[in-house]
């Protein structure tokens, strides 16, 4: 194969896409609201990719992702990733994310501490936000300090971390309410 290929495939959450090279999976795109939007995202990020039949490695990844979204616990250890354009720190974050058991979560701070860079929680958050390997590298298991789950990655489409975690049986804290957002900034009440 020359260059990069991509394929659109059906899952229980909609039509996802996978982009690959001869080295491995380059990116996964979760479904946008419409398939045309998913394709548009592929063309924006990977204009050189051409639609074709998945490679054996991409097919293995597709089978695992379809299974994961059906509630199964696939093993992605045999799936090769093309990390040629991924910074070293991000690779370390992704490797750690792959060790988080299904149904469990870790915070940005916990990962930074585990990697020996305890002051780098923001850098971990940035790496997670740029994860091109959605589902294969389970970035949905990495949350901000309050375990809030509404953030999306650029490759996340319209699917939230909360929805992906619920498929795995995890129960993180729900979204912040307006009361929780305003309470910390409200002035204290004078005693009566």
């Amino acid at each position: 194969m020359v260059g990069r290929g991509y394929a659109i495939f059906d899952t229980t959450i909609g039509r996802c896409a996978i982009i690959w090279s001869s080295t491995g999976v380059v990116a996964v795109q979760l479904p946008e609201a419409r398939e045309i939007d998913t394709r548009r995202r592929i063309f924006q990020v990977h204009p050189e990719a051409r639609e074709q039949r998945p490679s054996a490695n991409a097919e293995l990844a597709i089978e695992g992702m379809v299974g994961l979204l059906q509630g199964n616990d696939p093993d992605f250890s045999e799936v090769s990733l093309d990390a040629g354009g991924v910074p070293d720190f991000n690779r370390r974050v992704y490797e750690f994310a792959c060790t988080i058991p299904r149904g469990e979560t870790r915070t940005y701070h916990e990962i930074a501490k585990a990697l020996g860079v305890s002051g780098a929680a923001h850098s971990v958050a940035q790496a997670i936000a740029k994860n091109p390997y959605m589902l294969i590298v389970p970035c949905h298991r990495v949350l901000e300090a309050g375990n809030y789950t509404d953030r999306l990655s650029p490759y996340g489409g319209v699917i939230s971390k909360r929805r992906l975690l619920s498929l795995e049986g995890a129960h993180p804290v729900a979204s912040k309410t307006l009361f929780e957002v305003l309470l910390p900034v409200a002035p204290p009440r004078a005693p009566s």
Side-chain angles (χ1 to χ4, degrees):
M1 181 186 100
V2 176
R4 293 181 176 177
Y6 80 90
I8 305 286
F9 59 97
D10 291 315
T11 71
T12 57
I13 62 170
R15 293 183 52 79
C16 296
I18 187 168
I19 300 93
W20 69 90
S21 70
S22 59
T23 309
V25 174
V26 173
V28 172
Q29 175 64 51
L30 295 182
E32 295 285 347
R34 302 173 308 163
E35 182 180 334
I36 190 72
D37 297 327
T38 302
R39 289 177 181 277
R40 187 173 293 124
R41 174 85 59 147
I42 293 167
F43 294 134
Q44 287 172 348
V45 180
H46 305 282
E48 73 289 354
R50 298 294 172 252
E51 189 167 15
Q52 54 192 274
R53 172 176 242 104
S55 67
N57 183 62
E59 191 61 50
L60 183 62
I62 290 169
E63 288 172 17
M65 289 183 286
V66 168
L68 178 93
L69 294 170
Q70 291 173 338
N72 300 326
D73 188 12
D75 177 10
F76 290 108
S77 63
E78 298 296 316
V79 175
S80 298
L81 302 177
D82 180 342
V86 178
D88 289 338
F89 181 79
N90 293 22
R91 285 185 207 177
R92 290 179 55 210
V93 170
Y94 302 155
E95 287 169 4
F96 187 88
C98 288
T99 68
I100 302 170
R102 175 184 170 83
E104 293 184 23
T105 62
R106 301 292 183 274
T107 65
Y108 301 140
H109 176 73
E110 289 171 325
I111 291 180
K113 188 174 179 182
L115 295 177
V117 287
S118 60
H122 180 72
S123 297
V124 170
Q126 294 296 324
I128 291 298
K130 295 176 182 173
N131 174 19
Y133 314 111
M134 295 289 294
L135 303 178
I136 297 171
V137 171
C139 64
H140 58 279
R141 296 177 188 160
V142 184
L143 308 173
E144 62 181 286
N147 285 339
Y148 299 106
T149 56
D150 288 333
R151 303 252 172 140
L152 297 174
S153 136
Y155 296 96
V158 295
I159 307 303
S160 71
K161 286 185 175 189
R162 181 183 328 148
R163 182 159 179 207
L164 292 173
L165 287 168
S166 70
L167 289 169
E168 294 186 354
H171 302 289
V173 176
S175 301
K176 294 178 186 176
T177 65
L178 182 59
F179 179 75
E180 292 168 321
V181 171
L182 294 177
L183 184 61
V185 296
R189 294 178 99 175
S192 307

